[in-house]
Amino acid sequence: MKGTIIKCLQEMVEKRHSKESWQQILNEAGLEGPQFFSLSSDVPDTDAIGLFEATASVLGLSPEATSDAFGDHWVNDYAARVYQTLYARLRSAREFILALDGVHMMVTNTIENAHPPRFDYQEEGDDTLIVTYKSQRGLIDLYVGLARGVGRYFSTPMQVTKLGASQVRIRFL
Ligand code: HEM
């Protein structure tokens, strides 16, 4: 997984909790010594997933609450700064969600070793999207947390429901 994800996780923990909590998380995940995560560095998937699990355990949060905190920080703080230009042309939560397959392809196509998640979309009536999440990593909870972050960014009430390991229903209310 690209370092940008872990850089954001670290920033979320340090801003909302403390630098000490991040140190504890690194220790709990078995990563010793100072760790530097850059946008394009490669973090083995097992380490990345281990860091999310350690975050939940050190902060005393459920996996879902950890994903929601990460998703909120990614969409509303970190990516809004780091990937500012991408945000400029996205006008609504629905547009943002529908653009994400292309966004992931675009931001990773010049980075070696990136395996971005892919998304398919089916419309169900006027207000509902069924999203199919395609990734070997099985991080559907992260998808749910990030999608909720998109709703908050646009102040759009949205109901995001996990339907299984690879499908999510998003209702725009
Ligand atoms: C401007 C906004 C965004 C950018 C630039 C972005 C970029 C990225 C990048 C670079 C990765 C790492 C990919 C890799 O290591 O191969 C990633 C992972 C991921 N992104 Fe995004 N992302 C954005 C928003 C979102 C949103 C809003 C969602 C969901 C609604 C999302 C879902 C995911 C998931 C679930 C992963 C974890 C990797 C996986 O499941 O395989 N992203 N993203």
Side-chain angles (χ1 to χ4, degrees), residues 1-2 5 74 83 100 104 115-116 133 135 137 143 146-147:
M1 180 104 78
K2 286 296 147 195
I5 299 290
W74 176 275
Y83 304 100
L100 284 170
H104 283 83
H115 302 285
Y133 157 81
S135 165
R137 299 187 181 104
Y143 182 90
L146 284 153

Side-chain angles (χ1 to χ4, degrees), residues 8-149:
C8 173
L9 182 67
Q10 174 176 5
E11 196 185 279
M12 184 278 283
V13 170
E14 291 187 348
K15 272 194 179 176
R16 298 187 182 189
H17 299 270
S18 65
K19 285 192 188 297
E20 291 69 37
S21 304
W22 181 246
Q23 277 312 315
Q24 269 175 273
I25 288 164
L26 289 174
N27 292 344
E28 170 106 5
L31 300 172
E32 302 300 325
Q35 301 275 338
F36 174 73
F37 301 102
S38 77
L39 258 60
S40 60
S41 64
D42 281 314
V43 180
D45 281 355
T46 44
D47 286 353
I49 291 166
L51 283 165
F52 275 95
E53 286 169 358
T55 301
S57 130
V58 168
L59 302 182
L61 298 172
S62 65
E64 290 78 17
T66 308
S67 295
D68 283 355
F70 171 83
D72 186 38
H73 190 73
W74 176 275
V75 176
N76 294 296
D77 188 333
Y78 179 86
R81 254 181 295 121
V82 176
Y83 304 100
Q84 223 175 71
T85 46
L86 287 172
Y87 276 61
R89 57 195 173 85
L90 298 166
R91 313 222 169 277
S92 68
R94 191 188 180 97
E95 221 178 280
F96 200 149
I97 293 288
L98 288 171
L100 284 170
D101 187 58
V103 164
H104 283 83
M105 292 303 281
M106 191 177 74
V107 295
T108 54
N109 75 0
T110 54
I111 308 179
E112 249 178 88
N113 266 329
H115 302 285
R118 303 294 310 268
F119 309 108
D120 274 346
Y121 307 97
Q122 272 168 267
E123 309 221 337
E124 215 182 62
D126 285 348
D127 62 355
T128 303
L129 287 176
I130 305 291
V131 182
T132 303
Y133 157 81
K134 293 184 285 185
S135 165
Q136 302 284 353
R137 299 187 181 104
L139 298 173
I140 191 85
D141 287 339
L142 213 57
Y143 182 90
V144 170
L146 284 153
R148 288 184 178 140

